[in-house]
Amino acid sequence: MAKHRIYTTSFTSVYPHYVAKAERKGRSKAEVDQIIAWLTGYDDAALDALLATKIDIETFFAQAPAPNPSRNLVQGVVCGVRVENIQEPTMREIRILDKLIDELARGKAMNKILRTG
């Protein structure tokens, strides 16, 4: 099976789109970073270091230091596909992040986005 083209896209090229989407809706880069930290375990320093590289999306998720077990609570539709029904692990991680950023842009409270209450 051929890899999805998105897997070889650098995370650095996608990250600004997440930030721009959030900022267009009055949210912040810090909130995007908080979501990424919650999802993957990358702290600010590690995220900044990765953004200085050309790490691809597949590697970004594969090397995540502490994938949050609560990420499996993320449900809903992204790009016409239900996140919870995606079987391929990397694509599921990508769509979970997309869903979380969508929730941020829609004004959802951070504790709800991070499934903490």
Side-chain angles (χ1 to χ4, degrees):
M1 181 175 167
K3 279 190 177 184
H4 289 275
R5 185 173 159 186
I6 193 166
Y7 293 1
T8 58
T9 301
S10 73
F11 185 77
T12 305
S13 69
V14 176
Y15 175 79
H17 297 286
Y18 290 136
V19 173
K21 183 174 190 171
E23 289 178 342
R24 276 193 308 272
K25 299 295 185 168
R27 302 305 287 259
S28 70
K29 175 187 175 296
E31 289 173 306
V32 171
D33 292 352
Q34 184 180 356
I35 288 170
I36 293 170
W38 176 87
L39 181 62
T40 64
Y42 289 116
D43 62 20
D44 287 341
L47 182 58
D48 288 343
L50 288 172
L51 291 171
T53 71
K54 296 285 186 194
I55 190 169
D56 62 68
I57 290 174
E58 183 174 36
T59 305
F60 175 81
F61 284 110
Q63 293 181 355
N68 192 316
S70 294
R71 72 190 185 286
N72 293 322
L73 298 175
V74 178
Q75 297 182 352
V77 177
V78 175
C79 298
V81 178
R82 294 205 66 78
V83 172
E84 60 272 23
N85 293 339
I86 299 171
Q87 297 300 310
E88 202 289 313
T90 302
M91 185 56 71
R92 183 177 171 92
E93 297 296 330
I94 292 166
R95 295 305 181 205
I96 288 171
L97 180 54
D98 290 345
K99 180 67 177 167
L100 295 174
I101 299 300
D102 283 352
E103 290 176 357
L104 180 68
R106 289 189 183 120
K108 197 169 189 180
M110 190 58 81
N111 66 326
K112 298 288 185 186
I113 295 169
L114 303 182
R115 282 36 183 192
T116 58

